[in-house]
Amino acid sequence: MTRPAPDTPIETRWEGRFITVKQQGNWEYVSRSRGIHAAVILPIDDRADGRHVILVEQYRVPLKRQCLELPAGLVGDDSAGEAAEVAAARELEEETGYRAATWRTVGEFYSSPGMVSESFTLLVATDLTKVGDGGGVDGEDIIVHRVPLNGIEDFVAAKRAEGCGIDVRVAMLLAGGLLAET
C-alpha cells in the first residue's frame, strides 16, 4: 500500500471503549481509544536457585486459545495522566503477585506497526518480592509461570507444543538481548 499524503484526512470507521478503527486514504489501521497505551514488564527474579523470568498465560479471545506473554496492562485506562511506571507496578502485582524494588525503563516500542498504532513502554523489574498469588482481576484467570532463564527455550517450545500462542515479546527472551543488560 502506498503512503497517503500527510494532509489526507483520517476517518474514524468505528470506535469502542478500547480500540478505534481508522482509515487514511487506502490505509486501514487500529489505534487505542482515549490516547491510552500499554506498559509491558520484563520481571527478572534473581534468587539462590538461579535467575528466572516471570511470565503469564491467559486466554486471548482473538486467538481462541491460551497465550504466553510478559505481564502487561493499559496505562491511563482508569486515570488520565497515569505514568507508565505506576501502571506497570500495579499490573505486575495484579497479574503475577510480585512487587519490584528496582525498575528500569527500556523505551517505547510498537507491536505491529503495519496495522496498529499502539505503542508500549517496556520496563524491566528486578529485586522482586512475592506478595500474593497474582492471577489478575475480574476473571482474567491468569496463570503465573516462574521460568529459569537457562530453560526458557525448552519452556516456550513445550507451551507451543501444547497449542499455546506465544506473544512476540517473548521472543526477546530467546534472543537474550535485554537480559544481558539486567
Side-chain angles (χ1 to χ4, degrees), residues 63-171:
L63 301 180
K64 305 285 187 263
R65 61 178 157 164
Q66 295 287 109
C67 189
L68 185 67
E69 309 170 357
L70 292 173
L74 296 177
V75 178
D77 183 29
D78 293 328
S79 58
E82 180 179 42
E85 297 79 7
V86 172
R90 178 189 67 245
E91 294 293 337
L92 180 64
E93 187 170 342
E94 285 177 2
E95 292 190 2
T96 71
Y98 285 88
R99 282 190 193 141
T102 305
W103 289 89
R104 179 173 59 89
T105 301
V106 177
E108 184 177 15
F109 296 86
Y110 300 88
S111 18
S112 188
M115 64 179 223
V116 179
S117 66
E118 177 187 43
S119 68
F120 65 90
T121 301
L122 179 63
L123 301 103
V124 177
T126 55
D127 300 319
L128 302 182
T129 302
K130 184 80 167 152
V131 296
D133 293 333
V137 296
D138 298 328
E140 288 179 310
D141 298 323
I142 294 172
I143 301 165
V144 181
H145 299 285
R146 184 174 179 264
V147 183
L149 282 177
N150 62 5
I152 192 73
E153 290 180 30
D154 291 339
F155 181 80
V156 171
K159 294 310 285 183
R160 188 185 315 271
E162 289 175 12
C164 192
I166 309 297
D167 186 290
V168 69
R169 292 168 284 227
V170 172

